[in-house]
Amino acid sequence: MTPAGKPLYLMRAMLRPMDSELRIFLGRTALEVAPDLLGWTFSTTLDGTTASVRLTEVEAYMGEDDPASHAYRGMTARTEPMFREAGTLYVYLSYGIHSCVNIVTGPVGTAQAVLLRGGIPLEGVDAMVKRRGREANLTRGPGNLAKAMGLSTTHSGTSIDGERIILLPGAPPASVVATPRVGISAATDRLWRFMAAEDITANDISDRKGTA
DNA sequence: AGCTAGATCGGCT
DNA sequence: GCCGATCTAGCTG
């Protein structure tokens, strides 16, 4: 471990985003990658502005073996990006309104992905406010986070490129809480939603459907 | 070709 | 806490 408390391969990934080290990091199962992404920075530079968040809430979806995954019944036109290589974005439309962003992980063809559900704004707050049309809860919830970052379903199939869309290692949270995933009706016994403990408020654990 | 549940959000009671 | 908005992907007929 380095003085910063991170393995060396993560420090290298920080210097060269989406190089082979990051590929190895994302090449693991979604269940491994999801909690490890907490504390990382997710950043987009779109429409001439950069927006960044520190990730505080994610969920793991394990592909064709996971009844709650969109990939459970195989590849479709919508889910095709999930079957691509790690680092690809899978963005889907939820309830006809909201775009939700996933980062594909694991070996090609396994359709594993990590849903980005929440973060803390670090950069580009003005752009986020403009995109969201409000100032509260800018990046809380998958639909809100995607909107604040300027991402929509048109970005499904694009990938983390170290330019427009960037993933940077960050200090992991002191502790991580695992709960059932939100809003699903299958495999509710799997504790595959991960949150930074210090970011949890009362609403997070009592208010959302799908939580225990 | 039609039907409907859904990895949500925000406003209202 | 509850409910309506909004609309498409994927399934049934």
Side-chain angles (χ1 to χ4, degrees):
Chain A
M1 298 287 274
T2 63
K6 289 186 287 266
L8 187 57
Y9 75 92
L10 294 189
M11 299 296 287
R12 290 203 183 111
M14 192 183 315
L15 297 175
R16 293 184 297 148
M18 208 49 202
D19 65 4
S20 63
E21 309 288 351
L22 182 56
R23 243 177 254 284
I24 290 168
F25 176 86
L26 292 177
R28 299 173 300 150
T29 68
L31 202 46
E32 293 171 297
V33 173
D36 285 357
L37 277 176
L38 297 175
W40 281 46
T41 295
F42 180 60
S43 179
T44 60
T45 301
L46 302 167
D47 311 318
T49 55
T50 297
S52 306
V53 294
R54 174 181 172 82
L55 295 174
T56 55
E57 181 184 347
V58 297
E59 286 175 356
Y61 286 86
M62 289 294 283
E64 295 184 276
D65 297 328
D66 180 358
S69 170
H70 289 168
Y72 184 51
R73 291 176 205 287
M75 188 192 298
T76 65
R78 177 179 62 147
T79 62
E80 180 274 327
M82 259 202 291
F83 291 79
R84 298 193 204 170
E85 72 175 346
T88 303
L89 298 188
Y90 165 55
V91 187
Y92 68 92
L93 190 65
S94 183
Y95 290 90
I97 304 170
H98 313 287
S99 294
C100 301
V101 176
N102 295 252
I103 297 173
V104 174
T105 79
V108 171
T110 60
Q112 300 172 54
V114 176
L115 172 66
L116 306 183
R117 289 193 56 90
I120 297 171
L122 297 177
E123 200 178 355
V125 171
D126 290 349
M128 291 181 185
V129 169
K130 196 170 180 180
R131 286 166 175 158
R132 293 270 290 113
R134 67 194 64 245
E135 302 201 351
N137 297 327
L138 285 177
T139 55
R140 178 188 187 86
N144 293 339
L145 176 61
K147 193 168 184 181
M149 299 299 284
L151 295 170
S152 68
T153 53
T154 60
H155 297 96
S156 195
T158 63
S159 57
I160 293 166
D161 56 10
E163 303 282 339
R164 295 165 69 232
I165 302 170
I166 296 175
L167 203 50
L168 296 167
S175 70
V176 174
V177 173
T179 76
R181 293 170 288 181
V182 175
I184 58 166
S185 54
T188 54
D189 57 318
R190 300 180 193 181
L191 307 183
W192 289 356
R193 177 198 191 198
F194 303 97
M195 289 178 282
E198 67 257 33
D199 190 58
I200 295 177
T201 65
N203 278 351
D204 284 315
I205 49 179
S206 63
D207 221 324
R208 304 301 202 75
K209 61 181 174 178
T211 55

